Amino acid sequence: MNINTPVQLNVQSLAHDFLKVAQVAAIAAYPWIGKSNKIQSDGAGTEAMRNQLNFINMSGKVVIGEGEMDEAPMLYIGEELGTGQGPHVDIAVDPVEGTNLMSKGQDNSLTVIAVAARGSLLHAPDMYMQKIAVGPKAKGFINIDASLTENMRSVAKGLGKDVKELTVMIQDRPRHDHLIKQVLDLGASVKLFSDGDVTAAIATAIDEMEADILVGIGGAPEGVISATALKCLGGDFQAKLVPQNKEEFDRCIHMGLSNPEKVLLIDDIVKSEDCFFVATGITDGLLLKGVRKKEDGTMLTHSFVSMGGRTQNYQFIEAYHK
């Protein structure tokens, strides 16, 4: 084999390596729960994540994340990680998804990572993104250019439900008041959340979590991560980047997005089936239990792993760390 030939991506093996990354980052963030210090908590999770990522035999590149090159210690867009040996992969990360929640000791904070074959994940700035997400049974029944009212009627048809039986996940922000009104006008249920829309997106694909649609405007990094998770779970996701000013618009152009405001389908955001998603709970939440410390110092973690390709499965993993 030519030494320049990219190494085949073994999703299952690499997902195991990244599971350890998420676990280590969550444990590092654990001491900062409820300490009202977002910077220190984010820094602790980021530093632990970076150190563990650099042990992995891969040539990894952060294609979207919350850090910029001049904002150390954040994992910045374009940062290269790993030993440089092994598969070439794109990485989208959030070492502490729900930093506000964690700093206040609240639920639903977790560490999240999405990985795919190099060149597969959307390369975009850290900015706002309009999103709509559903699980496998409603795949093909969403249209981000349509109103939420139209989407709800379509999704209800796909799910074989009355529209009044739907539950819609919406971040509790004034910018979403018009969406909440549309849900209530149809007699459906709203499930509001304060931060962390990755969990809310995944909820649409897991029956036990009793959510049918995620809709709203949130961070682009979380959007790419959510799209990867949903691709692995067989769900659907559509998005549009929402530049807030000319500088953000120009940055999109500079990063290769010729039309920054075009509709992005799930296969535009995650172009390969060779992908996976990993999350570890920091505080208790809708998806995962938080980190726990036993009397003997042993740390307990609860993680979620979902892989794309032919497998399309997910696992909940409880682990003990001495």
Side-chain angles (χ1 to χ4, degrees):
M1 183 176 71
N2 188 304
I3 59 171
N4 294 316
T5 302
V7 177
Q8 183 73 29
L9 178 58
N10 184 327
V11 169
Q12 201 154 14
S13 174
L14 202 57
H16 183 269
D17 291 334
F18 273 83
L19 169 62
K20 187 171 182 181
V21 172
Q23 291 167 337
V24 165
I27 290 170
Y30 169 81
W32 295 98
I33 295 173
K35 298 294 176 64
S36 294
N37 195 325
K38 294 194 300 179
I39 295 173
Q40 289 288 351
S41 60
D42 235 352
T46 301
E47 182 180 7
M49 179 174 278
R50 176 183 280 119
N51 290 341
Q52 193 63 39
L53 284 167
N54 282 325
F55 284 123
I56 299 177
N57 284 325
M58 66 170 180
S59 177
K61 190 174 194 177
V62 178
V63 295
I64 190 166
E66 293 198 331
E68 303 296 333
M69 190 173 287
D70 58 351
E71 291 179 358
M74 301 302 290
L75 286 158
Y76 60 83
I77 297 169
E79 182 169 357
E80 296 186 0
L81 299 157
T83 64
Q85 306 295 315
H88 289 62
V89 296
D90 287 345
I91 304 171
V93 298
D94 193 346
V96 183
E97 156 82 333
T99 315
N100 285 326
L101 299 172
M102 198 196 88
S103 68
K104 296 175 182 176
Q106 295 177 340
D107 289 351
N108 284 312
S109 177
L110 64 168
T111 290
V112 291
I113 312 170
V115 180
R118 177 62 58 85
S120 299
L121 294 183
L122 178 70
H123 182 43
D126 177 11
M127 60 189 296
Y128 276 123
M129 174 185 271
Q130 180 185 349
K131 315 166 190 180
I132 184 167
V134 291
K137 294 174 186 175
K139 185 176 177 65
F141 286 87
I142 55 173
N143 175 8
I144 199 166
D145 279 335
S147 68
L148 177 54
T149 299
E150 293 172 89
N151 274 293
M152 288 174 64
R153 288 181 173 139
S154 178
V155 168
K157 184 177 178 182
L159 295 176
K161 290 184 175 183
D162 187 287
V163 72
K164 293 180 180 179
E165 297 177 290
L166 294 180
T167 298
V168 184
M169 303 285 292
I170 301 176
Q171 190 175 20
D172 192 4
R173 296 289 189 273
R175 64 178 177 266
H176 294 148
D177 287 348
H178 69 292
L179 298 175
I180 295 168
K181 184 178 186 302
Q182 288 177 68
V183 176
L184 298 178
D185 283 349
L186 286 180
S189 299
V190 173
K191 189 177 283 188
L192 297 176
F193 60 95
S194 59
D195 288 286
D197 62 11
V198 174
T199 296
I202 292 169
T204 65
I206 298 177
D207 290 342
E208 294 78 7
M209 295 178 73
E210 298 180 344
D212 300 301
I213 307 172
L214 162 80
V215 66
I217 294 174
E222 292 86 353
V224 173
I225 292 167
S226 298
T228 306
L230 284 167
K231 184 152 190 169
C232 294
L233 293 165
D236 206 357
F237 187 95
Q238 292 183 14
K240 283 182 179 180
L241 291 169
V242 186
Q244 298 295 291
N245 49 50
K246 187 177 185 300
E247 182 184 356
E248 287 191 356
F249 189 92
D250 290 346
R251 285 198 65 219
C252 290
I253 300 293
H254 179 70
M255 293 174 79
L257 297 165
S258 58
N259 180 7
E261 296 170 317
K262 78 166 195 171
V263 172
L264 298 165
L265 305 180
I266 193 167
D267 290 338
D268 297 320
I269 301 169
V270 191
K271 296 182 178 72
S272 173
E273 296 294 332
D274 289 334
C275 59
F276 60 88
F277 166 82
V278 178
T280 298
I282 301 173
T283 59
D284 287 346
L286 190 64
L287 180 67
L288 294 166
K289 291 180 285 190
V291 177
R292 284 168 169 73
K293 187 174 184 178
K294 298 183 71 176
E295 288 184 8
D296 65 357
T298 300
M299 307 298 286
L300 277 65
T301 58
H302 190 212
S303 302
F304 178 88
V305 180
S306 181
M307 291 173 276
R310 296 195 181 111
T311 54
Q312 282 206 339
N313 62 35
Y314 65 89
Q315 304 171 36
F316 288 95
I317 299 166
E318 289 190 311
Y320 293 76
H321 309 265
K322 289 288 186 183

